Amino acid sequence: EKKLEQLIDAFTIVLNKEPQLQLVIAGKGPALNHYKELVKKKGLADNVVFTGFVDDNTLPSLYYYASAFAFPSQFDTQGLVVLEAMACGTPVVTHKDSAAAEFVNNISFTFSTTPDLADKLIKAIESKDSLKEKLQQHAQQYDVELWATRLLTFYRNLI
């Protein structure tokens, strides 16, 4: 459901243009060994890092220092990681038919195919510096305290 195979395939294309890049895959799950084997089989072991579980205190650093954040899943219903990455000033690439694409608007990138994902990753990387401030401002619109205040105002108006 995370579509990591598609991301790994797209990263292979990206490496042809930018061989110094690394792909960092954070998290763990039942398919972790499968993905490690796939990366090894494709000859990408030197360019792909599996972090395993990352605690909440470390995540902002990962987002901040990333050149781009890829979120290929079409099935995650909230995609809060997309907003977290944007809040850290990192451009996002997400599937055009995902719920997360709603957060991206025209400030980051959406893709439909594997070659398109590779292309958008390169564009995201190239635009990080120019988009950083806009991404952070955009993410602030979804601040939990702001939305809680809006919701309370809405309920007060109903009463």
Side-chain angles (χ1 to χ4, degrees):
E1 80 220 28
K2 302 289 185 190
K3 293 202 153 196
L4 291 181
E5 286 93 350
Q6 185 175 27
L7 177 58
I8 292 165
D9 288 344
F11 186 65
T12 302
I13 298 168
V14 169
L15 278 178
N16 288 331
K17 296 178 182 179
E18 302 288 342
Q20 79 287 358
L21 293 178
Q22 285 196 313
L23 174 63
V24 177
I25 299 176
K28 67 176 190 172
L32 181 59
N33 287 333
H34 164 75
Y35 293 120
K36 286 181 176 181
E37 287 300 316
L38 179 64
V39 163
K40 201 181 300 182
K41 180 178 168 184
K42 290 182 175 276
L44 301 172
D46 291 340
N47 295 89
V48 179
V49 175
F50 290 92
T51 65
F53 174 78
V54 178
D55 65 70
D56 290 341
N57 294 327
T58 306
L59 277 174
S61 294
L62 283 180
Y63 293 133
Y64 180 81
Y65 289 109
S67 300
F69 180 78
F71 190 71
S73 176
Q74 289 176 261
F75 302 108
D76 280 278
T77 56
Q78 292 184 348
L80 294 177
V81 293
V82 169
L83 286 175
E84 291 171 351
M86 292 173 81
C88 293
T90 301
V92 172
V93 182
T94 189
H95 196 283
K96 72 176 187 70
D97 294 327
S98 67
E102 291 182 32
F103 298 130
V104 172
N105 294 338
N106 295 323
I107 294 176
S108 267
F109 305 89
T110 60
F111 73 95
S112 55
T113 64
T114 301
D116 189 30
L117 172 54
D119 181 57
K120 297 296 174 49
L121 283 169
I122 291 169
K123 287 180 179 175
I125 291 165
E126 291 171 347
S127 65
K128 181 172 182 174
D129 291 337
S130 64
L131 288 178
K132 184 176 185 172
E133 195 172 309
K134 287 181 184 178
L135 291 162
Q136 291 170 325
Q137 290 172 353
H138 180 73
Q140 286 176 355
Q141 296 177 68
Y142 298 96
D143 179 77
V144 69
E145 289 181 24
L146 176 66
W147 279 95
T149 301
R150 287 179 181 168
L151 185 60
L152 285 172
T153 302
F154 175 76
Y155 286 143
R156 285 185 183 121
N157 289 336
L158 285 177
I159 295 172

